[in-house]
Amino acid sequence: MLPRGVISAAKAARFGFKQPGIKLSPVFAPRTTLGNKKQIRWHGDGPGTDAPTVQLTFINPDESETRISARVGETLLQSAHRNGVEMEGACEGVCACSTCHVILEQELYDDLLDKMEDEALSEDEEDMLDMAFGLEQTSRLGCQIKVTDGMDGAVISLPKATRNFYVDGHKPTPH
């Protein structure tokens, strides 16, 4: 058995590394995606502090704006929590509630939808959005949206309220 974080010859070949035994950082590990494109899959708190960033603007329920630097590869929910944006995320990002409901601009919504496997939201996300307060045509769950380079300058609106079926007022502390 190899030490934790060291990959086997088979995995090295699958991920395109030239030699086995490469030690991977505990923060991220490569994975193969559709079309054999390599992507980074982040574990734990998301991408490291050295990840590229994009600028996002959140429109808060009180109509004030919060500008943040979001790391490419993390979810909107992770970005919001890391930057103090008031987005609940009662289920802690596992698509089991609608408290991270966001409303996107039409162009961003369409761009994200075009890049999805079936060009459609997952059934789980659709089911959770059915319970969201203030649902709009361009509504999505922040825990299901990965920040990409193409999102630089995007404006994301938060609804006026959320429906938290867990416990009134429960807001998990990100860990």
Side-chain angles (χ1 to χ4, degrees), residues 1 4 17 23 36 63 89 123 125 131 138 158 160:
M1 183 166 184
R4 183 181 174 131
F17 295 123
K23 180 140 176 69
N36 278 338
E63 301 296 323
E123 191 173 330
E125 185 174 3
M131 297 184 283
T138 59
L158 300 175
K160 302 286 183 211

Side-chain angles (χ1 to χ4, degrees), residues 23 41 50 63 67 156 175:
K23 180 140 176 69
R41 179 178 64 199
D50 60 340
E63 301 296 323
R67 289 183 175 76
I156 296 127
H175 51 267

Side-chain angles (χ1 to χ4, degrees), residues 24-165:
L24 298 176
S25 163
V27 176
F28 65 90
R31 71 173 170 167
T32 303
T33 61
L34 292 174
N36 278 338
K37 292 183 181 178
K38 305 284 191 252
Q39 285 190 343
I40 300 296
R41 179 178 64 199
W42 303 98
H43 297 279
D45 292 334
T49 56
D50 60 340
T53 60
V54 295
Q55 300 303 306
L56 301 177
T57 301
F58 282 90
I59 306 296
N60 299 304
D62 65 1
E63 301 296 323
S64 65
E65 294 183 3
T66 304
R67 289 183 175 76
I68 68 165
S69 288
R71 296 176 185 152
V72 172
E74 69 186 351
T75 65
L76 282 182
L77 178 62
Q78 289 170 322
S79 295
H81 282 180
R82 191 173 48 75
N83 287 282
V85 174
E86 288 290 322
M87 187 185 299
E88 279 185 58
C91 72
E92 299 185 29
V94 297
C95 199
C97 73
S98 63
T99 61
C100 65
H101 170 214
V102 295
I103 302 162
L104 306 176
E105 295 173 311
Q106 186 69 53
E107 185 178 344
L108 176 58
Y109 181 86
D110 292 342
D111 287 346
L112 292 172
L113 208 58
D114 288 345
K115 293 175 184 165
M116 296 179 76
E117 188 173 325
D118 296 327
E119 294 186 10
L121 302 182
S122 71
E123 191 173 330
D124 288 341
E125 185 174 3
E126 285 183 347
D127 288 347
M128 292 300 109
L129 281 170
D130 285 343
M131 297 184 283
F133 180 88
L135 192 64
E136 299 283 337
Q137 284 285 91
T138 59
S139 290
R140 291 286 311 273
L141 296 180
C143 68
Q144 299 301 298
I145 301 172
K146 293 280 188 182
V147 175
T148 65
D149 288 328
M151 293 174 71
D152 195 33
V155 177
I156 296 127
S157 298
L158 300 175
K160 302 286 183 211
T162 61
R163 289 193 177 118
N164 186 340
F165 294 106

Side-chain angles (χ1 to χ4, degrees), residues 2 6-22 32 38:
L2 295 171
V6 176
I7 62 173
S8 68
K11 282 187 181 176
R14 191 170 82 218
F15 293 132
F17 295 123
K18 299 195 185 317
Q19 59 188 359
I22 293 174
T32 303
K38 305 284 191 252

